[in-house]
Amino acid sequence: MNHLPPEALERVAAYFQALSEPTRLQILNLLRERELNVGELAELCGFTAANVSRHLTLLTRHGLVARESRGTAAYYRIADPSIYELCDLVCGNVARQFESTARMQAAFVPPAPVKARKRAA
C-alpha cells in the first residue's frame, strides 16, 4: 500500500468491505468447491435467492466472482482464486487470537479440586 493515491486506497477499502459480510464469505466458501447458481447457493446458505443475488452482484462488481449464463440460469464461480489465500491468512490470524485469548482466560480460572479417592479395605 506504499505510496498509493487516495483513489486507489478507496478501491482497496471497498474490496475489503466486500469481504466484511458473513453471508458473502459463506458464498465464497461454497464456491471454493464448485460453481453454483443462485438457487443452489440460496438453498445451501439458507437465505432467499434475492438476498444471495444481491451479494453476488457486489462480489461480481469487485471481481471476486464471475458469472456465466447457461440457458435460463446464471452460474457463479470464483474469478480470483487468490482470495482464498487472503481469507486463509486472516482466518489463521483470527484462530491464533482466539487461542491466545483462551489461554489468558484459562490462567484466571482456578484448577478444579481433586476429589480424594476412597481406599479399598
Side-chain angles (χ1 to χ4, degrees):
M1 293 190 331
N2 263 348
H3 311 294
L4 286 178
E7 299 82 19
L9 290 174
E10 285 178 25
R11 290 196 63 170
V12 170
Y15 185 87
F16 279 105
Q17 272 186 319
L19 298 174
S20 70
E21 212 287 329
T23 303
R24 290 192 284 271
L25 293 175
Q26 186 177 6
I27 290 168
L28 290 173
N29 213 25
L30 289 167
L31 292 174
R32 186 182 283 231
E33 300 299 320
R34 61 189 168 99
E35 58 183 33
L36 297 161
N37 66 36
V38 174
E40 292 167 331
L41 283 165
E43 185 177 324
L44 291 168
C45 289
F47 298 110
T48 65
N51 188 342
V52 169
S53 185
R54 281 194 307 275
H55 289 297
L56 286 166
T57 297
L58 189 122
L59 292 170
T60 302
R61 189 176 331 132
H62 289 286
L64 296 165
V65 299
R67 180 183 189 275
E68 181 182 331
S69 293
R70 292 187 202 146
T72 60
Y75 283 83
Y76 292 85
R77 63 176 166 72
I78 294 301
D80 181 6
S82 69
I83 190 62
Y84 295 120
E85 293 173 37
L86 175 62
C87 288
D88 291 344
L89 178 68
V90 172
C91 288
N93 187 37
V94 169
R96 284 188 295 281
Q97 289 174 359
F98 277 128
E99 290 169 3
S100 176
T101 301
R103 281 194 302 275
M104 288 188 326
Q105 289 174 341
F108 290 98
V109 176
V114 178
K115 292 183 180 180
R117 292 184 187 171
K118 292 182 181 179
R119 291 188 191 178

